[in-house]
Amino acid sequence: MKFKNSVAIVRTRKDNVVGSHMISTYDYQKENPNQFVYGEYRCEQFELVETVGGRVIVKTEETLRHSKVKITNEIIFENVTEVEILTTHKL
């Protein structure tokens, strides 16, 4: 499933070190500008491709505005304990 108006918060843990990483879409950031500090990964849409044994792969997609070139990026997270997805819908 491709998320176009969402945020994914990926929580990791290795030994005593706990971390969290955020992948957000531009649309979600535009609708909720003050909810988070959007500093990590931003894109037009993302997809959770694979979850095996504490490993999560997030595929991000973006299209350049003028040249229409598509850019894909795969972000691999190790030792994942939880993935939380927040989505907003307009009615």
Side-chain angles (χ1 to χ4, degrees), residues 14 17 23 28 43-44 55 61 64 67 71-73:
K14 184 168 183 174
V17 179
I23 299 97
Y28 190 91
C43 58
E44 289 177 0
R55 184 178 187 195
E61 296 178 9
L64 296 179
S67 63
I71 299 172
T72 59
N73 187 20

Side-chain angles (χ1 to χ4, degrees), residues 3-57:
F3 297 97
K4 296 181 180 181
N5 195 12
S6 303
V7 166
I9 301 171
V10 180
R11 293 187 174 86
T12 59
R13 179 182 183 140
K14 184 168 183 174
D15 298 328
N16 291 330
V17 179
V18 177
S20 75
H21 309 277
M22 182 185 322
I23 299 97
S24 62
T25 61
Y26 296 122
D27 289 341
Y28 190 91
Q29 181 179 353
K30 190 176 182 180
E31 288 186 29
N32 304 295
N34 298 321
Q35 186 175 9
F36 297 111
V37 176
Y38 299 97
E40 207 158 342
Y41 302 104
R42 290 180 279 180
C43 58
E44 289 177 0
Q45 62 184 2
F46 65 87
E47 179 180 12
L48 296 174
V49 178
E50 186 174 326
T51 59
V52 177
R55 184 178 187 195
V56 172
I57 299 174

Side-chain angles (χ1 to χ4, degrees), residues 59-81:
K59 182 179 177 183
T60 65
E61 296 178 9
E62 193 158 350
T63 304
L64 296 179
R65 191 178 320 162
H66 299 291
S67 63
K68 305 298 183 208
V69 173
K70 290 190 177 191
I71 299 172
T72 59
N73 187 20
E74 286 189 2
I75 306 166
I76 301 172
F77 296 102
E78 301 282 343
N79 302 314
V80 174
T81 58

